[in-house]
Amino acid sequence: GAGMIGNPGDMWWADFQRDGTEDPVTGEALPPAKVYEPIVSVDDIREKAEACLEAYNFHYPSKAMELVLFDEALRHLMKINRAIQLKRSSCMLVGVGGSGKQSLTRLAAYI
């Protein structure tokens, strides 16, 4: 369903769902608005996250990442992204080495 990842009834939010716009005067590409809102669908948010990953890999080819953004990874990406953007917030990522903590944090910071 819309906004559902994981358990039925769970609602997930993200602020990287909107597309960029164009300045009507100069024609310059403007970055998308950062509006924290419920996700439209898992497929849409996965597409946006994968587009952000492609853009990251293009801008930082020496640190390119090959990530598989499965549902659980998307959940963590949205949580990390939110924590990074809140003032005076923090989070501790715990898990075995090689589970993607650093890569998801790097992508969330880029977004």
Side-chain angles (χ1 to χ4, degrees):
M4 307 285 270
I5 298 179
N7 298 323
D10 285 354
M11 180 66 72
W12 291 95
W13 298 63
D15 71 349
F16 53 92
Q17 301 180 73
R18 297 187 177 204
D19 294 322
T21 58
E22 186 176 285
D23 186 308
V25 176
T26 64
E28 180 182 355
L30 299 173
K34 294 283 190 178
V35 179
Y36 192 62
E37 56 197 356
I39 67 170
V40 177
S41 76
V42 175
D43 293 333
D44 286 347
I45 201 70
R46 189 181 326 278
E47 271 184 38
K48 294 289 185 186
E50 287 173 352
C52 290
L53 178 60
E54 283 181 35
Y56 173 88
N57 288 341
F58 177 78
H59 286 101
Y60 303 101
S62 65
K63 294 189 181 262
M65 300 181 289
E66 296 294 325
L67 301 178
V68 176
L69 296 172
F70 51 92
D71 288 359
E72 198 68 23
L74 285 172
R75 288 178 59 189
H76 290 303
L77 178 66
M78 290 184 281
K79 289 178 184 180
I80 296 166
N81 178 262
R82 182 65 173 164
I84 287 172
Q85 293 187 12
L86 292 174
K87 291 182 180 181
R88 299 182 53 95
S89 70
S90 62
C91 63
M92 182 186 309
L93 304 177
V94 180
V96 297
S99 61
K101 297 179 301 290
Q102 185 176 24
S103 298
L104 285 177
T105 303
R106 191 173 284 151
L107 179 57
Y110 177 78
I111 291 173

